[in-house]
Amino acid sequence: MRIAGQLPPIKEEKFAVSMKVQFRALLYRKLVLTHRDRRQVMTQFFAAIFLGVFLGLAFCQVVDQEAQNVLSFFFILLQVGAMSGMSAMPALIDERIIMKFETSASLYAEWIWILVVSIIDTFLSIASNLFFQVIIWAFSGIDWVFFGMPLSMS
């Protein structure tokens, strides 16, 4: 006796929905939460702008100085770019705790969460680093022909 009608076949899978649906849902949620927490995004950009102006003043017209100072300038450019993601660590740790609770309930796969967070956070980091790099490069006095030169060498 069938009361419920035609039922789909039972599948033994860990997740109720496909990976595509999980990705879209997590991406939408991350975008909404990032849009709601504008203060964190603006802080990241204002910190990059402030750091660019501060270090730009420290390395003002470095092109006219000796080679050791120019080398220090490029070292700072690389170090700030490499360490800029550290400011987002506390928020990322808080998000990870929530993710662990949700993945333990098999709501989605961990690797999909990692992919979504990496996409959004990488985009924000690159954008804020671009602000920093442009500001400090403008203060340095080095010709703009050399800006982004390692990218064009390949």
Side-chain angles (χ1 to χ4, degrees), residues 73-134:
F73 170 74
F74 285 111
F75 178 77
I76 289 294
L77 281 179
L78 293 173
Q79 281 302 104
V80 170
M83 299 300 288
S84 65
M86 294 297 143
S87 64
M89 275 300 181
L92 189 61
I93 291 170
D94 291 340
E95 288 180 24
R96 183 186 175 278
I97 292 169
I98 295 169
M99 180 270 300
K100 281 301 196 181
F101 283 124
E102 292 175 344
T103 55
S104 69
S106 295
L107 296 178
Y108 51 82
E110 289 180 5
W111 68 270
I112 293 178
W113 180 84
I114 293 168
L115 182 65
V116 167
V117 169
S118 297
I119 289 170
I120 302 297
D121 289 351
T122 300
F123 174 76
L124 291 174
S125 292
I126 289 173
S128 65
N129 273 325
L130 184 63
F131 276 91
F132 167 76
Q133 299 285 339
V134 166

Coordinates of all heavy atoms in Angstrom, one line a residue, residues 73-134:
F73 N 63.5 48.3 0.0 CA 62.1 48.6 -0.5 C 61.4 47.4 -1.1 O 60.3 47.1 -0.8 CB 62.3 49.8 -1.5 CG 61.0 50.0 -2.3 CD1 60.0 50.7 -1.7 CD2 60.9 49.7 -3.6 CE1 58.8 51.0 -2.4 CE2 59.7 49.9 -4.3 CZ 58.7 50.6 -3.7
F74 N 62.2 46.7 -2.0 CA 61.6 45.5 -2.6 C 61.3 44.4 -1.6 O 60.3 43.7 -1.7 CB 62.4 45.0 -3.8 CG 62.3 45.9 -5.0 CD1 63.3 46.7 -5.4 CD2 61.1 45.9 -5.7 CE1 63.2 47.5 -6.5 CE2 61.0 46.7 -6.8 CZ 62.0 47.5 -7.2
F75 N 62.2 44.3 -0.6 CA 61.9 43.3 0.5 C 60.7 43.6 1.2 O 59.9 42.7 1.5 CB 63.1 43.3 1.4 CG 63.0 42.3 2.6 CD1 63.1 41.0 2.4 CD2 62.6 42.8 3.8 CE1 62.9 40.1 3.4 CE2 62.5 41.9 4.9 CZ 62.6 40.6 4.7
I76 N 60.5 44.9 1.5 CA 59.2 45.3 2.2 C 58.0 45.0 1.4 O 57.0 44.6 1.9 CB 59.3 46.8 2.7 CG1 60.3 47.0 3.8 CG2 57.9 47.3 3.1 CD1 59.9 46.3 5.1
L77 N 58.1 45.3 0.1 CA 57.0 45.0 -0.8 C 56.6 43.5 -0.7 O 55.4 43.2 -0.6 CB 57.3 45.4 -2.3 CG 57.3 46.8 -2.7 CD1 57.7 46.9 -4.1 CD2 55.9 47.4 -2.5
L78 N 57.6 42.7 -0.8 CA 57.3 41.2 -0.8 C 56.8 40.8 0.6 O 55.9 40.0 0.7 CB 58.5 40.4 -1.1 CG 59.0 40.6 -2.6 CD1 60.3 39.9 -2.8 CD2 58.0 40.1 -3.5
Q79 N 57.4 41.3 1.7 CA 57.0 40.9 3.0 C 55.6 41.3 3.4 O 54.8 40.5 3.9 CB 58.0 41.4 4.1 CG 59.2 40.7 4.2 CD 59.0 39.2 4.5 OE1 59.1 38.4 3.7 NE2 58.7 38.9 5.7
V80 N 55.2 42.5 3.0 CA 53.9 43.0 3.3 C 52.9 42.2 2.5 O 51.8 41.8 3.1 CB 53.7 44.5 3.1 CG1 52.3 44.9 3.2 CG2 54.6 45.3 4.1
G81 N 53.2 41.9 1.3 CA 52.3 41.0 0.5 C 52.1 39.6 1.0 O 51.0 39.1 1.0
A82 N 53.2 39.1 1.6 CA 53.2 37.7 2.1 C 52.4 37.7 3.5 O 51.8 36.7 3.8 CB 54.6 37.2 2.3
M83 N 52.6 38.7 4.3 CA 52.0 38.7 5.6 C 50.7 39.4 5.8 O 50.1 39.4 6.8 CB 53.0 39.4 6.6 CG 54.4 38.7 6.7 SD 54.3 37.0 7.2 CE 53.9 37.3 8.9
S84 N 50.1 39.9 4.7 CA 48.9 40.7 4.8 C 47.7 39.8 5.2 O 46.7 40.3 5.8 CB 48.6 41.4 3.5 OG 48.4 40.5 2.4
G85 N 47.8 38.6 4.9 CA 46.7 37.7 5.2 C 46.5 37.4 6.7 O 45.5 36.8 7.2
M86 N 47.6 37.7 7.5 CA 47.5 37.4 8.9 C 46.5 38.2 9.6 O 46.0 37.8 10.7 CB 48.9 37.7 9.5 CG 50.0 36.7 9.0 SD 49.6 35.0 9.5 CE 50.2 34.2 8.1
S87 N 46.1 39.3 9.1 CA 45.1 40.2 9.8 C 43.7 39.5 9.8 O 42.9 39.8 10.6 CB 45.0 41.6 9.2 OG 44.6 41.5 7.8
A88 N 43.5 38.6 8.8 CA 42.2 38.0 8.7 C 42.1 36.7 9.5 O 41.1 36.0 9.5 CB 41.9 37.7 7.2
M89 N 43.2 36.3 10.1 CA 43.3 35.0 10.9 C 42.2 34.8 12.0 O 41.6 33.8 12.0 CB 44.6 34.8 11.4 CG 45.6 34.1 10.5 SD 45.0 32.6 9.9 CE 46.3 32.1 8.9
P90 N 42.0 35.8 12.8 CA 41.0 35.6 13.9 C 39.6 35.3 13.3 O 38.9 34.5 13.8 CB 41.0 36.9 14.7 CG 42.4 37.5 14.4 CD 42.7 37.1 13.0
A91 N 39.2 36.1 12.3 CA 37.9 35.8 11.7 C 37.8 34.5 11.0 O 36.8 33.8 11.1 CB 37.6 36.9 10.7
L92 N 38.9 34.1 10.4 CA 39.0 32.8 9.8 C 38.9 31.6 10.8 O 38.2 30.6 10.5 CB 40.3 32.7 8.9 CG 40.4 31.5 8.0 CD1 39.3 31.5 7.0 CD2 41.7 31.5 7.3
I93 N 39.5 31.8 11.9 CA 39.4 30.8 13.0 C 38.0 30.7 13.5 O 37.5 29.6 13.7 CB 40.4 31.1 14.1 CG1 41.8 30.9 13.6 CG2 40.1 30.2 15.3 CD1 42.9 31.4 14.5
D94 N 37.3 31.8 13.7 CA 35.9 31.8 14.1 C 35.0 31.1 13.1 O 34.2 30.3 13.4 CB 35.4 33.2 14.3 CG 36.0 33.8 15.6 OD1 36.6 33.1 16.4 OD2 36.0 35.1 15.6
E95 N 35.2 31.4 11.8 CA 34.5 30.7 10.7 C 34.8 29.2 10.7 O 33.9 28.4 10.4 CB 34.8 31.3 9.4 CG 34.3 32.7 9.1 CD 34.7 33.2 7.8 OE1 35.0 32.4 6.9 OE2 34.8 34.4 7.6
R96 N 36.0 28.8 11.0 CA 36.4 27.4 11.0 C 35.6 26.6 12.0 O 35.2 25.5 11.8 CB 37.9 27.3 11.1 CG 38.3 25.8 11.0 CD 39.8 25.7 11.3 NE 40.2 24.3 11.4 CZ 40.0 23.5 12.4 NH1 39.5 23.9 13.5 NH2 40.4 22.2 12.3
I97 N 35.5 27.2 13.2 CA 34.8 26.6 14.3 C 33.3 26.3 13.9 O 32.8 25.2 14.1 CB 34.8 27.4 15.6 CG1 36.2 27.5 16.1 CG2 33.8 26.9 16.6 CD1 36.4 28.5 17.2
I98 N 32.7 27.2 13.2 CA 31.3 27.0 12.7 C 31.3 26.0 11.7 O 30.4 25.1 11.6 CB 30.7 28.4 12.2 CG1 30.6 29.4 13.4 CG2 29.4 28.1 11.5 CD1 30.3 30.8 12.9
M99 N 32.3 26.0 10.8 CA 32.4 25.0 9.7 C 32.5 23.6 10.3 O 31.9 22.7 9.8 CB 33.6 25.3 8.8 CG 33.8 24.3 7.7 SD 34.8 22.9 7.9 CE 36.4 23.6 8.4
K100 N 33.3 23.4 11.3 CA 33.5 22.1 11.9 C 32.1 21.6 12.5 O 31.9 20.4 12.4 CB 34.5 22.2 13.0 CG 35.9 22.2 12.5 CD 36.1 20.9 11.7 CE 37.6 20.6 11.4 NZ 37.7 19.4 10.5
F101 N 31.4 22.4 13.1 CA 30.1 22.0 13.6 C 29.1 21.6 12.5 O 28.5 20.5 12.5 CB 29.4 23.1 14.4 CG 29.9 23.3 15.8 CD1 30.4 24.5 16.2 CD2 30.0 22.2 16.7 CE1 30.9 24.7 17.5 CE2 30.5 22.4 18.0 CZ 30.9 23.6 18.4
E102 N 29.2 22.3 11.4 CA 28.3 22.1 10.3 C 28.7 20.8 9.5 O 27.9 20.1 9.0 CB 28.2 23.3 9.4 CG 27.5 24.4 10.0 CD 27.5 25.7 9.2 OE1 28.3 25.8 8.2 OE2 26.7 26.6 9.5
T103 N 30.0 20.6 9.3 CA 30.5 19.4 8.6 C 30.3 18.2 9.4 O 30.2 17.1 8.9 CB 31.9 19.6 8.1 OG1 32.8 19.9 9.3 CG2 32.1 20.6 7.1
S104 N 30.3 18.3 10.7 CA 30.1 17.1 11.6 C 28.6 16.7 11.4 O 28.4 15.5 11.6 CB 30.4 17.4 13.0 OG 29.5 18.3 13.6
A105 N 27.8 17.6 11.1 CA 26.4 17.2 10.8 C 26.1 16.8 9.3 O 25.0 16.7 8.9 CB 25.4 18.4 11.2
S106 N 27.2 16.8 8.6 CA 27.2 16.4 7.1 C 26.4 17.3 6.3 O 25.7 16.9 5.4 CB 26.7 15.0 6.9 OG 27.6 14.1 7.5
L107 N 26.4 18.6 6.6 CA 25.7 19.6 5.8 C 26.4 19.9 4.5 O 25.8 20.2 3.5 CB 25.5 20.9 6.6 CG 24.6 20.8 7.9 CD1 24.6 22.1 8.6 CD2 23.3 20.3 7.5
Y108 N 27.7 19.8 4.5 CA 28.5 20.0 3.3 C 29.9 19.5 3.6 O 30.3 19.1 4.7 CB 28.6 21.5 2.9 CG 29.0 22.5 4.0 CD1 30.3 22.7 4.3 CD2 28.0 23.2 4.7 CE1 30.7 23.5 5.3 CE2 28.4 24.0 5.8 CZ 29.7 24.2 6.0 OH 30.1 25.1 7.0
A109 N 30.7 19.4 2.5 CA 32.0 18.8 2.5 C 33.0 19.9 2.9 O 32.8 21.1 2.6 CB 32.4 18.3 1.2
E110 N 34.0 19.6 3.7 CA 35.0 20.5 4.1 C 35.7 21.2 3.0 O 36.0 22.4 3.0 CB 36.0 19.9 5.1 CG 35.5 19.5 6.4 CD 36.5 18.9 7.3 OE1 37.7 18.8 6.9 OE2 36.2 18.4 8.4
W111 N 36.1 20.4 2.0 CA 36.9 20.9 0.9 C 36.1 22.0 0.1 O 36.7 22.9 -0.5 CB 37.4 19.8 0.0 CG 36.3 19.1 -0.8 CD1 35.7 18.0 -0.4 CD2 35.9 19.4 -2.1 NE1 34.8 17.6 -1.4 CE2 34.9 18.5 -2.5 CE3 36.2 20.5 -3.0 CZ2 34.2 18.5 -3.7 CZ3 35.5 20.5 -4.2 CH2 34.5 19.5 -4.6
I112 N 34.8 21.9 0.1 CA 34.0 22.9 -0.6 C 34.0 24.2 0.2 O 34.1 25.3 -0.4 CB 32.5 22.4 -0.8 CG1 32.5 21.3 -1.8 CG2 31.6 23.6 -1.3 CD1 31.2 20.7 -2.1
W113 N 33.9 24.1 1.5 CA 34.1 25.3 2.3 C 35.4 26.0 2.1 O 35.5 27.2 2.0 CB 33.8 25.0 3.8 CG 34.0 26.2 4.7 CD1 33.0 27.1 5.0 CD2 35.1 26.6 5.4 NE1 33.5 28.0 5.9 CE2 34.8 27.7 6.1 CE3 36.4 26.1 5.5 CZ2 35.7 28.4 7.0 CZ3 37.3 26.8 6.3 CH2 36.9 27.9 7.0
I114 N 36.5 25.2 2.1 CA 37.8 25.7 1.9 C 37.9 26.4 0.5 O 38.5 27.5 0.4 CB 38.9 24.6 2.0 CG1 38.9 24.0 3.5 CG2 40.2 25.0 1.5 CD1 39.7 22.8 3.6
L115 N 37.3 25.8 -0.5 CA 37.4 26.4 -1.8 C 36.6 27.7 -1.8 O 37.2 28.7 -2.4 CB 36.7 25.4 -2.8 CG 36.7 25.9 -4.3 CD1 38.1 26.0 -4.8 CD2 35.9 24.9 -5.1
V116 N 35.5 27.8 -1.3 CA 34.7 29.0 -1.2 C 35.4 30.1 -0.5 O 35.5 31.3 -0.9 CB 33.3 28.8 -0.7 CG1 32.6 30.1 -0.3 CG2 32.4 27.9 -1.6
V117 N 35.9 29.8 0.7 CA 36.6 30.8 1.5 C 37.9 31.3 0.8 O 38.2 32.5 0.9 CB 36.9 30.2 3.0 CG1 37.8 31.1 3.7 CG2 35.6 30.1 3.7
S118 N 38.6 30.4 0.2 CA 39.8 30.7 -0.5 C 39.5 31.7 -1.7 O 40.2 32.6 -1.9 CB 40.5 29.5 -1.0 OG 40.9 28.7 0.0
I119 N 38.4 31.4 -2.4 CA 38.1 32.3 -3.5 C 37.8 33.7 -3.1 O 38.4 34.7 -3.6 CB 36.9 31.7 -4.3 CG1 37.3 30.4 -5.1 CG2 36.3 32.7 -5.3 CD1 36.2 29.7 -5.7
I120 N 36.9 33.8 -2.1 CA 36.5 35.2 -1.7 C 37.6 35.9 -1.0 O 37.9 37.1 -1.3 CB 35.3 35.1 -0.7 CG1 34.1 34.4 -1.4 CG2 34.8 36.5 -0.2 CD1 33.6 35.1 -2.6
D121 N 38.3 35.2 0.0 CA 39.4 35.9 0.7 C 40.6 36.2 -0.1 O 41.2 37.2 0.1 CB 39.8 35.0 1.9 CG 38.7 35.0 3.0 OD1 37.7 35.8 2.9 OD2 38.8 34.2 4.0
T122 N 40.9 35.4 -1.1 CA 42.0 35.7 -2.0 C 41.7 36.9 -2.8 O 42.5 37.8 -3.0 CB 42.3 34.5 -2.9 OG1 42.6 33.3 -2.1 CG2 43.4 34.7 -3.9
F123 N 40.5 37.0 -3.3 CA 40.1 38.2 -4.1 C 40.2 39.5 -3.3 O 40.8 40.5 -3.7 CB 38.6 38.0 -4.6 CG 38.1 39.3 -5.3 CD1 38.5 39.6 -6.6 CD2 37.2 40.1 -4.7 CE1 38.1 40.7 -7.2 CE2 36.8 41.3 -5.3 CZ 37.2 41.6 -6.6
L124 N 39.7 39.4 -2.0 CA 39.8 40.6 -1.2 C 41.3 40.9 -0.8 O 41.7 42.1 -0.8 CB 39.0 40.4 0.1 CG 37.5 40.4 0.0 CD1 36.8 40.0 1.3 CD2 37.0 41.7 -0.6
S125 N 42.1 39.9 -0.6 CA 43.5 40.1 -0.3 C 44.2 40.7 -1.5 O 45.1 41.6 -1.3 CB 44.2 38.8 0.1 OG 43.7 38.4 1.4
I126 N 44.0 40.2 -2.6 CA 44.7 40.8 -3.8 C 44.3 42.2 -4.1 O 45.1 43.1 -4.4 CB 44.4 39.9 -5.1 CG1 45.1 38.5 -4.9 CG2 44.7 40.6 -6.4 CD1 44.8 37.5 -6.0
A127 N 43.0 42.5 -3.9 CA 42.5 43.9 -4.1 C 43.1 44.8 -3.1 O 43.6 45.9 -3.5 CB 41.0 43.9 -4.0
S128 N 43.2 44.5 -1.8 CA 43.8 45.4 -0.8 C 45.3 45.5 -1.0 O 45.9 46.5 -0.8 CB 43.4 44.9 0.6 OG 44.0 43.7 0.9
N129 N 45.9 44.4 -1.4 CA 47.4 44.4 -1.7 C 47.7 45.3 -2.9 O 48.7 46.0 -2.9 CB 48.0 43.0 -1.9 CG 48.4 42.4 -0.6 OD1 48.8 43.1 0.3 ND2 48.1 41.1 -0.5
L130 N 46.8 45.3 -3.8 CA 47.0 46.2 -5.0 C 47.0 47.7 -4.6 O 47.8 48.5 -5.0 CB 45.9 45.9 -6.0 CG 46.1 46.7 -7.3 CD1 47.4 46.3 -8.0 CD2 44.9 46.4 -8.3
F131 N 46.0 48.0 -3.7 CA 46.0 49.4 -3.1 C 47.4 49.7 -2.5 O 47.9 50.8 -2.8 CB 44.9 49.6 -2.1 CG 43.6 49.9 -2.7 CD1 42.7 48.9 -3.0 CD2 43.2 51.2 -2.9 CE1 41.4 49.1 -3.5 CE2 41.9 51.5 -3.4 CZ 41.1 50.5 -3.7
F132 N 47.8 48.8 -1.6 CA 49.1 49.0 -1.0 C 50.3 49.2 -2.0 O 51.1 50.1 -1.8 CB 49.4 47.9 0.0 CG 50.8 47.9 0.5 CD1 51.2 48.8 1.5 CD2 51.7 47.0 0.0 CE1 52.5 48.8 1.9 CE2 53.0 47.0 0.4 CZ 53.4 47.9 1.4
Q133 N 50.3 48.3 -2.9 CA 51.4 48.3 -3.9 C 51.5 49.6 -4.7 O 52.5 50.1 -4.9 CB 51.4 47.1 -4.8 CG 51.4 45.7 -4.1 CD 52.8 45.4 -3.6 OE1 53.8 45.9 -4.1 NE2 52.9 44.5 -2.6
V134 N 50.3 50.0 -5.2 CA 50.2 51.2 -6.0 C 50.6 52.4 -5.2 O 51.4 53.3 -5.7 CB 48.8 51.4 -6.6 CG1 48.6 52.7 -7.2 CG2 48.6 50.3 -7.6

